[in-house]
Amino acid sequence: MKNALFRILLCCALLLGAGSGAAQDLAEQPRIRRFPADSIREVLLLDTLSIIPGSFRLSLDGQAVEDSLWVLDAPAARLLFTAPIRLAPGSVLQAEYRCFPLSFVRPRYVRDRRLLEQPVPGRGAPATVYTERPADRNRSLFGLEGLTRSGSISRGLTIGNNQDAVLNSSLNLQLAGRIGGNVELLAAITDENIPVQPEGNTQQLQEFDRVFIQLSDPHNKLIAGDYDVRNPPDGYFLRYFKKAQGGLYQYNETFRQPGRSPLTVSAGAGAAVSRGKFNRMVFPGIESNQGPYRLRGADNELFIVVMSNSERVFIDGVLLERGQDRDYIIDYNTAEITFTTRRLITKDLRIIVEFQYADRNYARTLLTANTAFSSTRWKASLAFYNEQDSRNQPLQQTLDASDKALLASVGDSVDLAFADGGDSVAFNSTETLYARSDTTVGAVTYTIYRYSTSPDSAYYRVSFTNLGAGQGNYLPDDATANGRIYRWVAPVGGIAQGTHEPRIRLIAPQQRQMLSGRMQVSLTEATNLTL
């Protein structure tokens, strides 16, 4: 009964899954077998494949043979005669049929029988018990034994009546185990084409796009991909925490010699591309205001995107925990932090937020190196940190020769890196354009921009920058259909009366370097000397 049911289900699957392809080809090409009179037996084997029921035809010298004289075993492709058939010399029996692409009566196995072996008598197992070979049972990825893997991969198609077809993909793969000798592999690869960051309302976050690969043995460790760069544990002045993408190598070993104290040597070096820019904000709380408090960039940028899981929040020196049931939540996309009722905010609290935010003005590289020696009586360490922008690879601004000369001339005074905000263009009635003229106030002549709609003079597209009260000669005026306009205000006694200037701030490349060394000697059991 089970075999019959299995055959029926298999037939249905073949007819539904491959019927439009293979079944049509077989139907167009029927098979014909001819048997001379002297070769007729009680049972005839017609084929090695199973015959499609209903396609069999049997004839003798062109005349159909009665169904009562024969029985067809279609799965086994056998023809059985129920009564003797008398054939005249020279007569030919012809069978016409179509076949499935497989035989339903041939044995099928989940495991290959050749992978099974019989135990040698005397090992405590009966002679009739078979076991699978260990080499075949412990199959591993890429032929590496002891390597475990888990994860998923998916593909999806999104179709809408107002959009084109979009292919969505997702990959989540984890690998762990030994790949040879004492070398261990730890890898986590996540790739999802989701243009958003995780929400900062939970204590643990799941990164959407991350590659982490680690190879290690008892003394060495190599990390590649996306990882967190941290300062050495004994560093006092050189302290940092960065999200980077690159490579990191670490070495640690203890040397023991008879008659001497053990010496532990550790070293590390890394080279990576920094994924964000660091900033540290210190601000007082507002009485009975839990938030949201907006975070700003290092150059006072208002609209930034904070890197997920890069923030550290302190209140009066106490490190807080993220989460709705903890101390605070943060919206990384809008750079806003809100404190929960677990931490009531007052004007007397001192809030410190350290974070990284997306800054793609220049390609930024990160180099770190450290080494340490420690023994029973003394410790010594040296650490180096270098983070710099590639001045020849600006990403979000275009610098001409004059802009580069200006940045080179201001040096470390980046507050002076402003270019002229006026750009000569053709008149366009759909833009906010200005006319340029000279005006004399007292003994000083000023070149100013005035909003104009005249085709004879409105030739300048002007960008204004807010410099603060009393730092500019322009004030925001009424807005038009094309945008806000700015009005020039004459200075009084040489003192500016406005807030804006027709200038464009140039983002200058930056570099941070630091070398830190530390030495500690134990003079007595209770006295240490640290340098």
Side-chain angles (χ1 to χ4, degrees), residues 308-369:
S308 61
N309 202 28
S310 67
E311 83 286 352
R312 293 201 302 171
V313 183
F314 301 87
I315 291 185
D316 292 340
V318 179
L319 180 62
L320 305 186
E321 295 182 358
R322 179 184 59 243
Q324 290 182 341
D325 58 339
R326 302 290 177 169
D327 300 317
Y328 71 93
I329 60 175
I330 181 172
D331 190 334
Y332 294 112
N333 298 308
T334 60
E336 293 179 339
I337 183 171
T338 303
F339 297 93
T340 64
T341 55
R342 185 178 177 181
R343 292 284 180 176
L344 297 179
I345 304 301
T346 65
K347 61 181 179 59
D348 299 322
L349 297 181
R350 183 169 178 262
I351 304 173
I352 301 176
V353 183
E354 298 176 350
F355 60 94
Q356 284 182 255
Y357 64 96
D359 178 39
R360 302 297 296 172
N361 294 312
Y362 294 90
R364 177 169 300 163
T365 58
L366 180 65
L367 301 175
T368 59

Side-chain angles (χ1 to χ4, degrees), residues 93-150:
L93 185 67
Q94 177 177 301
E96 182 179 353
Y97 56 89
R98 296 191 302 273
C99 291
F100 287 109
L102 75 163
S103 174
F104 296 139
V105 297
R106 185 173 300 173
R108 304 289 173 178
Y109 304 95
V110 177
R111 303 287 188 182
D112 191 348
R113 296 179 61 184
R114 293 173 296 179
L115 302 180
L116 303 178
E117 62 182 6
Q118 184 176 1
V120 177
R123 293 187 179 179
T128 57
V129 176
Y130 290 82
T131 59
E132 190 176 0
R133 297 173 189 170
D136 298 313
R137 183 175 61 248
N138 296 331
R139 295 180 181 176
S140 59
L141 189 64
F142 309 125
L144 301 176
E145 299 182 5
L147 187 63
T148 60
R149 69 276 188 191
S150 62

Side-chain angles (χ1 to χ4, degrees), residues 277 298-299 301 357 359-364 387-399 403-419 504-512:
K277 187 175 181 179
D299 296 324
E301 302 99 321
Y357 64 96
D359 178 39
R360 302 297 296 172
N361 294 312
Y362 294 90
R364 177 169 300 163
E387 183 182 4
Q388 65 178 7
D389 294 333
S390 179
R391 61 182 182 180
N392 295 323
Q393 296 183 8
L395 301 179
Q396 293 185 348
Q397 60 181 347
T398 302
L399 303 177
D403 294 334
K404 294 181 180 179
L406 176 61
L407 291 175
S409 63
V410 300
D412 294 336
S413 302
V414 294
D415 293 338
L416 302 178
F418 285 95
I504 299 176
R505 181 187 296 272
L506 299 180
I507 306 300
Q510 300 181 3
Q511 181 181 21
R512 292 184 178 90

Side-chain angles (χ1 to χ4, degrees), residues 3 104 449:
N3 293 335
F104 296 139
Y449 293 96

Side-chain angles (χ1 to χ4, degrees), residues 21-262:
Q24 289 180 3
D25 294 340
L26 290 172
E28 295 173 359
Q29 299 179 359
R31 298 189 178 189
I32 299 176
R33 292 289 307 275
R34 294 181 176 88
F35 300 91
D38 56 352
S39 64
I40 301 300
R41 301 291 184 272
E42 184 178 352
V43 179
L44 294 179
L45 181 61
L46 302 178
D47 211 303
T48 58
L49 304 176
S50 296
I51 297 176
I52 300 178
S55 67
F56 184 77
R57 301 291 184 272
L58 185 64
S59 61
L60 178 63
D61 295 335
Q63 299 295 328
V65 180
E66 296 182 6
D67 297 345
S68 60
L69 300 179
W70 53 271
V71 176
L72 176 66
D73 185 358
R78 296 190 308 169
L79 181 63
L80 295 83
F81 293 98
T82 59
I85 297 181
R86 297 179 181 180
L87 301 179
S91 299
V92 176
L93 185 67
Q94 177 177 301
E96 182 179 353
Y97 56 89
R98 296 191 302 273
C99 291
F100 287 109
L102 75 163
S103 174
F104 296 139
V105 297
R106 185 173 300 173
R108 304 289 173 178
Y109 304 95
V110 177
R111 303 287 188 182
D112 191 348
R113 296 179 61 184
R114 293 173 296 179
L115 302 180
L116 303 178
E117 62 182 6
Q118 184 176 1
V120 177
R123 293 187 179 179
T128 57
V129 176
Y130 290 82
T131 59
E132 190 176 0
R133 297 173 189 170
D136 298 313
R137 183 175 61 248
N138 296 331
R139 295 180 181 176
S140 59
L141 189 64
F142 309 125
L144 301 176
E145 299 182 5
L147 187 63
T148 60
R149 69 276 188 191
S150 62
S152 63
I153 182 172
S154 63
R155 295 289 186 269
L157 183 65
T158 302
I159 301 176
N161 55 356
N162 290 327
Q163 70 175 34
D164 296 333
V166 178
L167 180 63
N168 301 318
S169 63
S170 174
L171 171 65
N172 190 354
L173 176 64
Q174 294 85 33
L175 300 174
R178 295 183 181 271
I179 60 175
N182 294 327
V183 180
E184 294 186 357
L185 171 65
L186 179 63
I189 303 174
T190 303
D191 181 17
E192 297 189 16
N193 54 352
I194 302 177
V196 297
Q197 295 193 99
E199 296 183 1
N201 53 13
T202 58
Q203 189 174 10
Q204 300 294 330
L205 295 181
Q206 173 65 36
E207 301 272 355
F208 289 131
D209 193 354
R210 185 177 179 88
V211 176
F212 177 83
I213 302 175
Q214 175 181 297
L215 297 173
S216 62
D217 64 12
H219 304 297
N220 302 274
K221 180 185 294 185
L222 178 63
I223 299 176
D226 300 299
Y227 63 96
D228 298 333
V229 182
R230 300 178 182 270
N231 57 276
D234 56 350
Y236 181 79
F237 296 101
L238 182 57
R239 305 187 68 85
Y240 55 86
F241 173 76
K242 301 283 291 184
K243 284 185 171 293
Q245 187 175 39
L248 176 66
Y249 171 75
Q250 295 178 342
Y251 169 78
N252 188 291
E253 187 171 359
T254 300
F255 299 92
R256 304 180 184 275
Q257 297 182 1
R260 296 184 180 181
S261 301

Side-chain angles (χ1 to χ4, degrees), residues 16 23 26 64 218 257 269 284 287 289 331 351 355 392 400 426 452-453 457 468 486 503 505 516:
L16 293 176
L26 290 172
Q257 297 182 1
E287 190 72 29
N289 186 1
D331 190 334
I351 304 173
F355 60 94
N392 295 323
D400 55 20
S452 174
T453 58
S457 59
Y486 292 85
R503 299 178 183 177
R505 181 187 296 272
S516 175

